[in-house]
Amino acid sequence: MAGNLGTQAVASGSAVRVNKHKPDWRGWKFMWPFAVVFVLVFIIPIFYAIYISFFEKRMVGGTVFVGIDNYIRLFGDDQFWASCGRVALFTVVQVPIMLFLSAVMALCIDSMKLHGAKFFRISTFLPYGVPAVVSTMIWGFMYGSKYGLVGSLNDLLGTNIDVLSPDVLLASIGNIVTWEFVGYNMLIFYSSLSTIPHSLYEAASIDGASEWQIVKSIKIPELKGSLAITVIFSIIGSFQLFNEPNILQNMVPGNAITTYYTPNMYAYNLSFSGNQSNYAAAMAIVMAVITMAIAYAVQLNSMKEQMK
Amino acid sequence: MRKSSFGLKVLAAGTAAMTVLAMAACGGDDKPAQSADGELSGELSVWGWGNGMKELAEAFEEANPGVTVEYAAQSNASDAAMKLTNAIAAGKGAPDVCMLEDAMVSQFAVQEGIIELDQFGAQDYADDFVAGPWGKLQVNGKAYGMPLDSAPEVLYYNKAVFDKAGVTEAPTTWDEYYEAAKKIRELGEDYYITNNAGFQPFTAQAWQAGGHMWTVDGENLTIDMTKSEGMQRYIDFTQKLIDEDLINVRINAWSDDWNRSLNDGTLASLTIGAWMATNLKSSAPEQSGNWRVAPLPKWTDGGENGSEDGGSSFTITAQAKDTTLAWAFVEFATHGEGAQVLTDEGGQFPSLKSILNSDEFINADDEYFGDQKINQVLVEAANQDITQFQYLPYTQYATTIYPDYTGPAYMGKVRLEDALQDYGEALAEYGEQQGYTVTLK
């Protein structure tokens, strides 16, 4: 269809083309406020980052053009891949747990059987309103195995639990992130549930469907659409993990949170402590490509699911 | 002698950076250094941290009615360094005067972020300051910063805890320190003589042991983390403390847990800069009357015991608008009335000899330290003849990645020697990326 239109336009000559241009420009007039900001804060920084990633600033010798050297170095950088592996593991474990909890909460609040649904809706969403820095501090103080809440529990129970030991640290960070974002995702799920027309429920109850059957046959299929969005948001968020480990760094014993704990921390430390903003730019670009590729794969996959 | 040959080699190397720097220094404004005599006017932006800075700014404004000082408090030394790095990279946003940790000065001097101060006559004041801090601010034989506080490394210890453990005298050698550590460890599961303290005490103690982990000669760096006798001495000793669980590896310096364990007595001592006195009072108020100061333990009986840990200075940035005014402030703060203000109001440990050696300063007793005349110990430590300190031209990076490598060693996962060798390799690799010629041992 579209192909046909295209050939027609070419075939019918220049008169048509002139007409086509005018409405185009009228559209742009409405676009320019957005376009200006978009170019300024999005396009230019990206191209600037790509540009500087081809250079290297040295203390001796100044800035030199190095071509793709930064990228070559990046592919052989064990610390970078270790940090990528860490956030990948984090994503694979934390995102499903968080989204499962969000979906369950959304279903509970939507069930109409919960007393004080409004209270629960707001209180589960509230952590999202707390700045990540503050919530990490709060959790960090609770996690302390000597002076924190965990320490008090240990004293009480005579145990020796340490949630900040290097082996379980990632899970503890996952817990903070889940706490922060479970309400946000719940809200997305909840809003898609509330778009289900009442007639569907009425029809179901006339057919004698149980509550569980309604959930299974009406609500969960509806959630699938918003699942794609929440998964993509969560993957992007996890790959950009920064605030939580960065704040916890000094609270965690034995320097278990390294300067390259996550790709973002690595780029930050290279750029601001290591004076290597060019290499950090190359890293940022590679990370963006990786994240986009994964998000795109997820989206394609979910589109295929929906087509079925 | 050493300084001049150092400078000559750099000049011989003749890099563009140095030439530009030298030209800026010689050919720049030839205004004579003007003293703060009330003829100054304008606005001056200053970055700093710590106590007494506000009072200092007010005192300068009072002495120079035409001047407004905009003081922006930074949260700590590394924060100030990071912000200045960004401002230099951006080409704007730097203050006129910036307080920097001594170790950072050479890095910013090499990057041309700060200007040399000999053009204002800084060198005339050389003899008025304690040798340690003054020496650390000289880059290629020129002053790039004026010393504020001095930071001889000393031993702060909690006498009440030491007594309880049966250690009646402060350890004078590291062997005695080790014995004391064992006794304190026996007090209970939380008690430790000290904690894994990080980069600064590492440099201070390894340096004191005779290990020169890095040597800077213009563009040639030598990194020797594990091979020299001094480093071996430091590594063996620290490894022994780690292996026998005599050092608290679970508490990071400057963390909340650190303050709390200083306050409840379970962290019994710190080898740290003299400036810790004022910090202890706020970190550990409940231990008032219990803490004491002693000289840093020596490696051998009668050996050298001087070392430095931290210390800060005022520098003038390359972006400074009015360098005459900036210098007037720096001079006032470090060599003039301001130095006394910082000592009195900020509790700063001075590096200006006239204050340091004044009877009033030396004989001040302090209730917090059980009426010990702590300044006597501190001043003696400050006046030690210290082998001149050298820092890498990329200290900020070296400080940042230090825990990445040594953290696992303190947790017992790898040997400290291997960890430090890896650290040295990482520093060498970085140095070469930055265009230096690095020899790794």
Side-chain angles (χ1 to χ4, degrees):
Chain A
M1 189 55 186
N4 279 343
L5 277 175
T7 38
Q8 271 172 15
V10 173
S12 52
S14 57
V16 180
R17 240 180 255 159
V18 172
N19 279 343
K20 259 183 82 185
H21 273 281
K22 279 189 174 167
D24 267 355
W25 284 112
R26 196 152 47 188
W28 276 106
K29 281 179 190 161
F30 289 100
M31 277 284 289
W32 76 261
F34 166 77
V36 165
V37 177
F38 183 72
V39 167
L40 221 62
V41 303
F42 197 77
I43 303 290
I44 291 178
I46 287 177
F47 279 97
Y48 182 66
I50 294 172
Y51 171 74
I52 64 168
S53 73
F54 295 120
F55 291 85
E56 191 171 64
K57 199 174 99 193
R58 296 181 185 143
M59 295 175 95
V60 180
T63 304
V64 283
F65 180 78
V66 293
I68 58 166
D69 275 10
N70 282 329
Y71 293 92
I72 293 170
R73 181 181 151 202
L74 189 65
F75 283 98
D77 188 338
D78 295 339
Q79 295 188 334
F80 173 68
W81 294 112
S83 69
C84 284
R86 205 171 285 118
V87 288
L89 174 69
F90 182 86
T91 310
V92 169
V93 178
Q94 187 263 339
V95 172
I97 292 175
M98 175 179 67
L99 294 184
F100 175 75
L101 288 174
S102 300
V104 170
M105 279 182 190
L107 286 169
C108 287
I109 290 171
D110 189 61
S111 71
M112 310 280 195
K113 293 202 161 50
L114 201 67
H115 288 288
K118 273 186 183 166
F119 168 75
F120 283 109
R121 202 172 62 200
I122 288 176
S123 58
T124 48
F125 185 70
L126 213 56
Y128 181 70
V130 181
V133 174
V134 176
S135 46
T136 308
M137 300 276 276
I138 297 171
W139 277 99
F141 288 133
M142 291 205 287
Y143 280 160
S145 63
K146 195 172 172 194
Y147 299 102
L149 183 67
V150 172
S152 310
L153 282 175
N154 278 340
D155 286 346
L156 199 70
L157 305 171
T159 49
N160 207 5
I161 301 163
D162 178 14
V163 293
L164 292 178
S165 78
D167 311 324
V168 294
L169 184 60
L170 205 55
S172 301
I173 294 174
N175 182 46
I176 302 176
V177 176
T178 305
W179 180 82
E180 285 172 328
F181 289 98
V182 84
Y184 171 75
N185 290 302
M186 179 276 290
L187 214 63
I188 296 178
F189 287 138
Y190 179 75
S191 65
S192 75
L193 285 177
S194 57
T195 59
I196 299 173
H198 264 276
S199 53
L200 265 180
Y201 293 131
E202 279 164 24
S205 57
I206 290 168
D207 286 346
S210 69
E211 190 67 29
W212 175 239
Q213 280 172 315
I214 290 176
V215 168
K216 216 174 80 173
S217 309
I218 301 175
K219 292 187 175 177
I220 292 188
E222 184 64 34
L223 285 185
K224 276 187 184 164
S226 42
L227 188 66
I229 296 172
T230 51
V231 167
I232 289 170
F233 282 177
S234 305
I235 288 174
I236 294 172
S238 306
F239 270 82
Q240 294 183 348
L241 194 64
F242 177 78
N243 275 338
E244 292 80 4
N246 200 41
I247 299 288
L248 281 179
Q249 200 170 31
N250 200 30
M251 296 181 170
V252 171
N255 310 112
I257 296 183
T258 52
T259 56
Y260 53 93
Y261 198 70
T262 72
N264 263 10
M265 277 183 75
Y266 192 31
Y268 172 83
N269 282 309
L270 280 174
S271 179
F272 294 119
S273 303
N275 203 20
Q276 298 193 326
S277 38
N278 306 89
Y279 184 51
M283 189 175 291
I285 288 156
V286 169
M287 272 316 288
V289 170
I290 292 175
T291 317
M292 276 194 285
I294 293 172
Y296 188 64
V298 169
Q299 195 167 14
L300 272 189
N301 201 38
S302 77
M303 274 164 73
K304 267 187 215 155
E305 289 269 300
Q306 283 180 330
M307 291 294 190
K308 274 179 194 169
Chain B
M1 183 60 210
R2 182 180 176 154
K3 260 191 261 173
S4 61
S5 70
F6 180 53
L8 278 174
K9 276 179 195 162
V10 171
L11 283 175
T15 66
M18 289 306 161
T19 318
V20 171
L21 201 68
M23 277 165 65
C26 309
D29 43 82
D30 275 333
K31 285 176 210 162
Q34 194 177 329
S35 62
D37 55 8
E39 286 174 24
L40 295 159
S41 64
E43 282 184 3
L44 185 75
S45 57
V46 178
W47 287 359
W49 68 88
N51 301 327
M53 285 290 156
K54 275 224 166 74
E55 289 85 349
L56 171 70
E58 282 162 16
F60 185 69
E61 283 177 341
E62 213 168 290
N64 301 279
V67 179
T68 322
V69 179
E70 288 171 45
Y71 171 66
Q74 309 299 306
S75 50
N76 54 44
S78 54
D79 212 44
M82 192 181 278
K83 276 192 186 165
L84 186 62
T85 306
N86 290 346
I88 291 166
K92 63 174 195 290
D96 299 318
V97 173
C98 189
M99 182 170 165
L100 284 175
E101 207 165 23
D102 292 348
M104 299 286 176
V105 167
S106 66
Q107 175 175 341
F108 284 108
V110 172
Q111 289 175 17
E112 296 173 44
I114 56 176
I115 60 175
E116 60 100 357
L117 304 177
D118 285 358
Q119 57 182 311
F120 308 109
Q123 217 53 248
D124 301 344
Y125 296 143
D127 292 337
D128 300 339
F129 292 97
V130 179
W134 180 261
K136 289 195 288 183
L137 303 172
Q138 311 304 306
V139 182
N140 304 328
K142 289 195 163 79
Y144 277 83
M146 290 290 280
L148 283 166
D149 61 334
S150 148
E153 182 100 330
V154 289
L155 174 72
Y156 280 93
Y157 67 104
N158 189 323
K159 192 166 182 2
V161 179
F162 271 56
D163 283 346
K164 206 163 100 186
V167 187
T168 46
E169 293 287 320
T172 57
T173 64
W174 287 108
D175 285 335
E176 284 177 32
Y177 180 88
Y178 166 71
E179 296 302 327
K182 282 201 285 193
K183 286 183 185 161
I184 287 163
R185 193 70 195 89
E186 281 162 16
L187 284 176
E189 68 165 328
D190 289 335
Y191 281 89
Y192 285 92
I193 193 162
T194 195
N195 68 310
N196 168 17
F199 181 79
Q200 282 282 13
F202 154 68
T203 53
Q205 277 169 48
W207 203 277
Q208 187 209 18
H212 293 203
M213 52 284 243
W214 38 70
T215 327
V216 185
D217 182 3
E219 286 172 22
N220 298 307
L221 313 177
T222 307
I223 293 176
D224 176 6
M225 280 290 161
T226 54
K227 302 293 189 291
S228 71
E229 200 186 325
M231 286 311 290
Q232 281 296 335
R233 187 149 60 168
Y234 168 79
I235 291 167
D236 288 347
F237 180 74
T238 311
Q239 187 70 58
K240 188 164 73 172
L241 293 182
I242 297 169
D243 288 346
E244 297 179 28
D245 184 31
L246 297 177
I247 181 165
N248 192 334
V249 298
R250 304 189 45 81
I251 293 178
N252 300 321
W254 309 106
S255 66
D256 183 55
D257 280 10
W258 191 65
N259 288 330
R260 284 166 183 262
S261 49
L262 287 174
N263 197 27
D264 68 15
T266 51
L267 202 54
S269 79
L270 296 171
T271 47
I272 205 162
W275 38 262
M276 192 60 202
T278 127
N279 293 316
L280 262 181
K281 291 176 199 171
S282 55
S283 294
E286 281 173 33
Q287 294 295 324
S288 176
N290 291 339
W291 283 87
R292 300 285 185 281
V293 186
L296 194 65
K298 299 172 187 181
W299 288 99
T300 50
D301 233 348
E304 186 178 353
N305 68 354
S307 199
E308 291 262 338
D309 181 349
S312 53
S313 56
F314 265 142
T315 61
I316 299 178
T317 71
Q319 294 175 25
K321 292 175 288 291
D322 183 350
T323 51
T324 314
L325 177 60
W327 168 251
F329 177 80
V330 171
E331 192 184 30
F332 178 85
T334 56
H335 195 265
E337 288 165 50
Q340 192 68 48
V341 174
L342 286 173
T343 306
D344 295 344
E345 304 288 333
Q348 196 175 69
F349 188 75
S351 47
L352 194 61
K353 282 181 188 167
S354 60
I355 300 179
L356 205 59
N357 295 328
S358 69
D359 285 346
E360 192 191 353
F361 186 76
I362 288 181
N363 293 321
D365 47 12
D366 196 326
E367 216 176 300
Y368 184 87
F369 292 96
D371 289 331
Q372 182 191 12
K373 289 179 177 167
I374 61 164
N375 286 343
Q376 285 183 351
V377 181
L378 302 179
V379 169
E380 196 187 327
N383 286 330
Q384 289 268 339
D385 234 358
I386 295 166
T387 325
Q388 191 168 359
F389 255 61
Q390 272 191 330
Y391 285 103
L392 280 176
Y394 42 90
T395 303
Q396 196 185 0
Y397 184 72
T399 314
T400 310
I401 67 165
Y402 173 79
D404 288 355
Y405 292 90
T406 54
Y410 277 91
M411 292 305 265
K413 296 215 170 78
V414 291
R415 306 293 293 169
L416 185 62
E417 180 169 358
D418 298 335
L420 284 174
Q421 189 59 35
D422 288 348
Y423 176 56
E425 277 169 27
L427 290 178
E429 199 189 317
Y430 182 85
E432 284 185 348
Q433 275 159 10
Q434 294 294 334
Y436 290 95
T437 311
V438 187
T439 316
L440 177 71
K441 287 194 176 163

